[in-house]
Amino acid sequence: MSALQKSIMKSKLPPRCPKSASGKLAPFGMARRKDYSPVPWQQYFEKYVDVETESGRFRVYLSPEPDHSSRPRLVTLHGGGYSGLSWALFTEEITNMIHCQVISMDIRGHGETQADNPDDLSADTLVKDVEQVLHKLFGEELPPIVLVGHSMGGAVAVRAALLPSLEPYVHGIAVIDVVEGTAMDALASMQSFLRGRPTHFRSIEHAVEWCVRSGQVRNVDSAKVSMPSQIVNCETNLLATNELATHTPEAPHAPAPMALAPAADCIAEEPEDADADCIAEEPEDADADFTPPPTAPPQRGDGDTNMRYKWRIDLSKTERYWSGWFQGLSARFLSVRAPRLLLLASIEGLDRELTIGQMQGKFQMQVLTRCGHAVHEDTPGEVARVIAAFLLRHRVTEPTEAGEDMHLTSTPGC
């Protein structure tokens, strides 16, 4: 483990767990106090389209079209293990601030996308998918494009911005919480990290609760819409989002404690007035992206054998592609011609090459606090505000009536 990785791991140690009203720690699955009922994607996106390419069928979620064809399209690319619905709350926020349309795509192997070779997550393949989907949506002449990517999706966005067929139309790029140096350092311990996660869930609410209490996503509202798109029904192998129309919410209950692996999963129940940040976090760039189950039997320590849902994708089987996502990322990011923005959850994540580039003013950087790795889900309003101000500063678009009242252009950058 490198010194940089040790520093990051040390800075991400979980805080003290809050005590329950009885003074004892409440294990995972007990005394549920919050509403973890799933929320359909229709509350945040206007529609979806399934884009047919030579590589398969790709699900794309769309916000309403902008008021003019010259307005930018924000193409959002999620991290590994997530889906296009992880941008739901961000979409609602930013379309209220600036004139734009959000195009949120399920990357191959994720969500509702059905690619011919779903296990091929090589960087070149993922970039080609983005290129084909955009040209299928808009033809040869694209509208102004702003690429926004989180973690693995950020690495894909950087590569896509350099493609000859896309580069003339890319008016900006925003990369969220991924830096080459720390990502590469973390790969050696990645499989161990993956094995620390539960493999199955009893219900959709159970999955949403784990997502929030484990720290994968700190924002309950975001987890409610994004988590169902990350799990499938064990019997039908269909995404849990397909069940929401007829879904009967699970009544709160207090089962026996779940015996989970010694990881960030074992978290005390939070009091009603607890600080939302008092949740164990995952190590920086020991990527919250990676959410596949291990090959071990399902962890059913509470005696409940009715584990109905499992993860949509097993990223542990794609280890051979991991380093390819991040190698050369910093140099590529600095070589993008369009305006560049880097959003981080911690200043400690910056590597040497980006530190020098930032000191030379080659890109804008913003560090957001009180959030974990899934920055855009934890604090969607803040991320939207930073990106909106970034695009207004570079005259890529104009503010909406609501955005004018927010004085977005005065938002400072680092």
Side-chain angles (χ1 to χ4, degrees):
M1 181 180 293
S2 68
L4 180 59
Q5 188 177 3
K6 289 180 180 178
S7 174
I8 292 172
M9 294 290 286
K10 183 177 180 181
S11 70
K12 292 295 185 178
L13 287 175
R16 292 179 180 271
C17 293
K19 293 184 177 181
S20 63
S22 64
K24 296 181 180 181
L25 295 180
F28 176 72
M30 290 189 66
R32 193 176 285 161
R33 299 180 182 180
K34 289 187 176 181
D35 177 16
Y36 296 105
S37 301
V39 172
W41 62 266
Q42 288 90 341
Q43 292 193 20
Y44 299 96
F45 293 96
E46 180 183 53
K47 63 180 181 180
Y48 73 80
V49 293
D50 288 327
V51 180
E52 296 284 350
T53 74
E54 63 183 45
S55 301
R57 186 178 72 252
F58 292 79
R59 172 62 57 89
V60 179
Y61 296 94
L62 302 166
S63 68
E65 292 191 11
D67 59 344
H68 194 275
S69 59
S70 64
R71 301 299 192 190
R73 269 61 170 188
L74 274 60
V75 180
T76 56
L77 302 172
H78 61 81
Y82 292 86
S83 81
L85 295 183
S86 68
W87 301 95
L89 271 67
F90 165 82
T91 296
E92 180 181 56
E93 294 281 357
I94 199 162
T95 53
N96 186 52
M97 297 177 184
I98 58 174
H99 291 289
C100 67
Q101 181 183 32
V102 175
I103 299 172
S104 194
M105 169 182 168
D106 283 346
I107 291 175
R108 71 165 53 215
H110 297 72
E112 293 285 8
T113 286
Q114 300 295 328
D116 296 336
N117 185 7
D119 294 329
D120 180 8
L121 296 186
S122 65
D124 289 341
T125 297
L126 300 183
V127 171
K128 184 179 179 181
D129 290 341
V130 174
E131 179 184 31
Q132 290 184 347
V133 166
L134 289 179
H135 282 296
K136 281 288 185 177
L137 283 173
F138 300 109
E140 290 302 315
E141 292 294 324
L142 303 181
I145 295 293
V146 177
L147 294 168
V148 183
H150 169 240
S151 200
M152 180 194 74
V156 174
V158 170
R159 287 174 175 265
L162 298 173
L163 290 176
S165 67
L166 297 183
E167 187 176 39
Y169 307 100
V170 176
H171 288 232
I173 183 170
V175 174
I176 300 178
D177 211 42
V178 58
V179 171
E180 179 183 351
T182 51
M184 295 298 292
D185 284 343
L187 294 183
S189 57
M190 196 62 65
Q191 288 287 6
S192 176
F193 175 79
L194 300 182
R195 287 191 292 270
R197 306 172 79 97
T199 64
H200 289 68
F201 300 99
R202 177 177 57 254
S203 64
I204 302 176
E205 286 85 353
H206 187 210
V208 173
E209 180 183 9
W210 174 85
C211 180
V212 175
R213 292 176 57 190
S214 69
Q216 175 169 301
V217 173
R218 296 182 176 186
N219 188 322
V220 177
D221 291 331
S222 186
K224 286 181 178 182
V225 65
S226 67
M227 194 60 184
S229 65
Q230 299 173 42
I231 57 176
V232 296
N233 188 299
C234 294
E235 295 182 1
T236 65
N237 209 38
L238 295 177
L239 216 61
T241 53
N242 294 293
E243 304 176 10
L244 299 190
T246 57
H247 178 70
T248 301
E250 182 184 52
H253 61 285
M258 288 187 69
L260 296 178
D265 304 349
C266 298
I267 296 175
E269 175 66 310
E270 51 202 305
E272 286 294 335
D273 58 349
D275 192 316
D277 280 348
C278 197
I279 293 179
E281 286 183 39
E282 352 183 72
E284 181 97 347
D285 280 311
D287 228 48
D289 293 355
F290 300 104
T291 54
T295 56
Q299 301 166 1
R300 301 174 176 173
D302 61 355
D304 185 354
T305 58
N306 188 28
M307 292 293 186
R308 297 181 56 200
Y309 299 92
K310 62 182 179 180
W311 294 105
R312 160 69 169 90
I313 181 171
D314 185 352
L315 284 180
S316 64
K317 295 180 180 179
T318 64
E319 182 176 4
R320 63 187 180 277
Y321 301 124
W322 295 349
S323 61
W325 296 342
F326 307 116
Q327 281 180 342
L329 176 59
S330 295
R332 288 188 177 93
F333 177 70
L334 294 173
S335 67
V336 173
R337 294 182 182 179
R340 292 154 295 202
L341 171 66
L342 178 63
L343 288 86
L344 297 175
S346 170
I347 188 62
E348 297 175 0
L350 208 60
D351 62 21
R352 182 175 182 274
E353 191 167 6
L354 288 182
T355 299
I356 295 173
Q358 199 274 329
M359 293 176 65
Q360 295 174 340
K362 292 184 176 180
F363 63 93
Q364 178 185 334
M365 184 178 73
Q366 189 80 36
V367 179
L368 300 179
T369 59
R370 299 176 63 82
C371 59
H373 178 62
V375 184
H376 59 298
E377 291 203 67
D378 293 350
T379 56
E382 287 301 308
V383 172
R385 176 180 286 272
V386 172
I387 293 180
F390 168 72
L391 297 179
L392 291 173
R393 187 174 300 118
H394 291 280
R395 296 183 172 86
V396 177
T397 187
E398 296 178 357
T400 61
E401 183 175 347
E404 290 179 349
D405 297 334
M406 298 181 186
H407 306 290
L408 296 170
T409 53
S410 63
T411 300
C414 293

